[in-house]
Amino acid sequence: MADDEDALFGAVDALLDAVAARESLPSPAERKRLREAAGLSQEQVARALQVRREAVSGWEAGRTEPRPPKRAAYARLLEGLAARCPAPDATENAPTAHAPGARAERPPALDRPAEVPPPEDPPTEIPPARGTSAPESRLPPQSRPVREAPAGVPRRPASPRTGQARTSDMAPAAPDTRFAHGPLGVLDGDGSVYCVGGLVLDCPARTLVEVVEWALGEAELGAARLHRSGKDADPLVVITAAAAERLGLPLVLEDRRTLRLPGDHQAVRQVTDAGWKLTKRGFGPWARVYRPADDGRRRCVQFAVLPWDALDARSWGDTGRLPAPEIAAVLGTYASRVITPRGSTAVCGLELMTALRPPTRAVRDEATGGWTSGPLPGSLAEPVDPAPPEAPAEHPIVAGLYPRHHKRTPAEVLEEEAFDWIRDPQSLTDAECARRYAVGIDVNTAFLAAANRLAVGLSAPVHVRTPTFDKKVPGAWLVDLSGIELDPRMPNPFTPHGERPDGPAWYATPTVAYAAELVAAFGLPVPIDPVEAWLRPEYGPYLDPWYKHLSEAYRATMADLGVLAGTGEAEFLAAMETHREADPGTAAVLSAIKATVKGGIGKLRERPQGAGYRAGERWPALDRPTWRPDIRAAVIATARVNMHRKLLKTALATQGEPAPSGRLTLGHDALIPIAVLSDCAVYLSDGPSPLDVLPHTPDGKPAPGSFRLGVSPGMVKHEGTRELLWAVRMLDEGHNPAQHIKGVDAANDGE
């Protein structure tokens, strides 16, 4: 009988699905309203329906419609949401969260899970070079905060010491009840704390100690861990200038060298007298206030002081000068897609690596039957010293090998850096000089693309004499690649300056692997015989989760700016022309994501900082597992050879394949760049668009292996176009056109 019943119900469900597939769906605007009213993200809906997030975005924008069988499932979801979240006109007589006396329902707070104490000294760094300056912020509708309550509805006054939530018309529910109010709050001068989704909390605190206790006790701020063996994100309290005055903090740090309050400042004394601690960096633009873990409970609050330039304009644009609700929206979007900010974007990039691959996990102690801490496979579990050629000049290893002012040669130091190359103007052909434009193309997040599936060392280096090259083993190889003769009009892939090496030099594995690839592909009579090597026998794709996490954040943010994956080349170029102007607030998030990539890779080889450093001494960064100059070198080497591979494929696509002749010589009409700077290449063209210069097959597709226009990491976009005479003048003066073709200094603009 039960089987018959199940069959009948199944048949009825099939009929309902068929009807839903034929019925019209709610309007695109209503679809979006229902999802947001339920506190669901586009990613959650996409996962449930087994489609891409861009598909849900298209349904809500009216650009596309769902097709069976997804349509029936989507219709059922919308029907269920409509029953739970009726339109405003259907509930106008119901009490609202803004009505006098109304209280926002809050789930009970749960104890924090057992975690390790916060680090004594968070990583420091020199901020990355490029950011986006946004004159004003227009946040996307789903994240735009409501600054004022609706007309006729009074705002709730602050409730002393209750942390009572005042909600705007929407406050999406957080999936983790411990962090019901999101990862962060922006504290303003009147005690209002602006959170994600337009939520506003009342904070009665008037001292730093009271803010800490409120943040840990009542605010319900924080974020769940990104890995089951990791730790939850500490609550972040962002302090505006008005809030700084309320808390007794100066608007300007007098100590511009250390960038922190003196130890005898009243605010610092209040913190220490109350039994709280500061990290070794003291109380500066980014500060941590904590107590040692007690009974496994982590008690730590992160502060970002905006008047002290916590949000560097080179990474965040004008975010630090926006109204508090808009700052909360920008930082909240970054926190949901990347990580809760806990320092500069470079610090966030490095911390994200650890958050996605924690160094340790809980393991069973076979002797006692209890649990203990053990290394997590595939992670960086402990600090290791670099090989001598991998160490920067300040490292104690180098100080013990060479005199203080000795300049190491390529045979003594591993120098894997990005391209900075210009072509000899005398090599320009008559046909090239007849072209009218110089067109720049730029690789999207080149370092991030290089990290994808990249095997890096997980252990200490081992020295090997006369090794046999193995492209699978990460390390540094001393090998002579000067015998590989390439077309002199092209940059040499083995040096950052693009000139041919003149003898043995140290190279990371990706560079030597590319040399072997060229030798095999073009029949070059050059052996790849390393003299010695420093190899890491334990290796793996450590950066893979980091790549996937940041690439998803990058694509989602680009989609919010109207640049979608899968569009045609012309549509992509048109969208890129205006994507930053479409929403400066989201453009600031995009700039921060890109700075997170570059800064995170740079932090892998953090140099000593501070006036107190003495040459040859160790510095704090050396004691963390993620101080790994070899991994940085591998990523940059991969990005550089990837760039050269595409340059070469583009040149070969515009001429016939040259016959093996002992050297790689390109044809007279091959498309060859005039300049390369890191991830930007400049070509001479008859037209002003990349479509006028990049090669395509007869059916209109990009030539195999060449540059492809698109939004994904590793694809390219239009960097800028200038006149031919401008580019030639730059070459004659010894300047790199790729640095200025966008109209700004690319090195100072973060690309």
Side-chain angles (χ1 to χ4, degrees), residues 74-75 212 360-361 523 576 659 671:
Y74 188 46
V212 171
T360 60
R361 64 173 178 174
M576 288 296 295
L671 184 62

Side-chain angles (χ1 to χ4, degrees), residues 128 130-131 314-315 345-346 349 590-600 750:
R130 180 169 178 166
R314 291 171 293 183
S315 300
T345 49
L590 177 66
S591 175
I593 291 172
K594 294 165 69 175
T596 300
V597 173
K598 289 192 68 174

Side-chain angles (χ1 to χ4, degrees), residues 201-506:
L201 305 178
D202 288 320
C203 176
R206 289 190 170 273
T207 67
L208 280 176
V209 172
E210 292 176 351
V211 172
V212 171
E213 294 171 347
W214 174 83
L216 293 176
E218 302 175 9
E220 296 179 12
L221 296 175
R225 62 196 69 192
L226 297 178
H227 188 283
R228 61 180 298 179
S229 296
K231 58 189 178 185
D232 296 329
D234 300 317
L236 169 62
V237 177
V238 182
I239 299 176
T240 64
E245 291 183 319
R246 173 187 174 100
L247 298 175
L249 301 176
L251 295 182
V252 178
L253 282 176
E254 296 181 1
D255 188 345
R256 304 307 300 170
R257 185 177 64 85
T258 62
L259 291 178
R260 60 186 175 190
L261 289 177
D264 59 353
H265 190 277
Q266 179 181 359
V268 176
R269 290 204 311 269
Q270 289 175 349
V271 169
T272 56
D273 289 348
W276 294 93
K277 295 180 178 293
L278 294 169
T279 62
K280 293 179 181 178
R281 287 185 56 80
F283 201 94
W286 290 92
R288 286 177 180 170
V289 179
Y290 73 98
R291 279 179 178 157
D294 182 20
D295 295 330
R297 293 185 60 193
R298 180 181 174 88
R299 293 174 295 174
C300 180
V301 178
Q302 176 82 54
F303 287 96
V305 187
L306 296 182
W308 300 350
D309 297 326
L311 298 179
D312 193 313
R314 291 171 293 183
S315 300
W316 292 98
D318 286 339
T319 301
R321 293 190 287 273
L322 296 175
E326 298 184 28
I327 295 173
V330 172
L331 296 182
T333 301
Y334 180 89
S336 66
R337 291 180 178 171
V338 182
I339 194 172
T340 303
R342 57 189 71 180
S344 71
T345 49
V347 169
C348 292
L350 194 72
E351 293 282 339
L352 181 62
M353 295 179 194
T354 303
L356 294 169
R357 282 197 188 270
T360 60
R361 64 173 178 174
V363 295
R364 179 77 69 179
D365 188 336
E366 298 297 335
T368 64
W371 292 95
T372 185
S373 179
L376 180 68
S379 293
L380 303 177
E382 58 184 9
V384 296
D385 281 336
E390 297 168 346
E394 302 90 346
H395 199 280
I397 289 178
V398 179
L401 292 175
Y402 305 103
R404 179 174 179 182
H405 298 292
H406 173 75
K407 182 175 177 58
R408 288 184 289 174
T409 67
E412 296 171 335
V413 61
L414 177 69
E415 188 180 6
E416 294 285 12
E417 301 295 343
F419 271 132
D420 186 356
W421 170 85
I422 62 173
R423 189 168 152 193
D424 182 355
Q426 300 301 318
S427 69
L428 297 178
T429 65
D430 292 340
E432 288 176 320
C433 292
R435 294 168 183 158
R436 298 178 56 192
Y437 301 100
V439 178
I441 56 172
D442 181 80
V443 179
N444 300 323
T445 56
F447 291 161
L448 183 62
N452 185 21
R453 298 190 300 273
L454 177 65
V456 299
L458 303 176
S459 57
V462 177
H463 189 234
V464 182
R465 293 282 184 184
T466 60
T468 300
F469 177 68
D470 185 347
K471 66 179 182 180
K472 297 180 181 179
V473 180
W477 309 77
L478 180 61
V479 60
D480 189 353
L481 302 179
S482 61
I484 300 179
E485 189 173 357
L486 306 177
D487 194 303
R489 295 172 296 168
M490 289 277 288
N492 190 289
F494 311 130
T495 62
H497 48 70
E499 300 297 328
R500 186 175 177 178
D502 57 6
W506 285 99

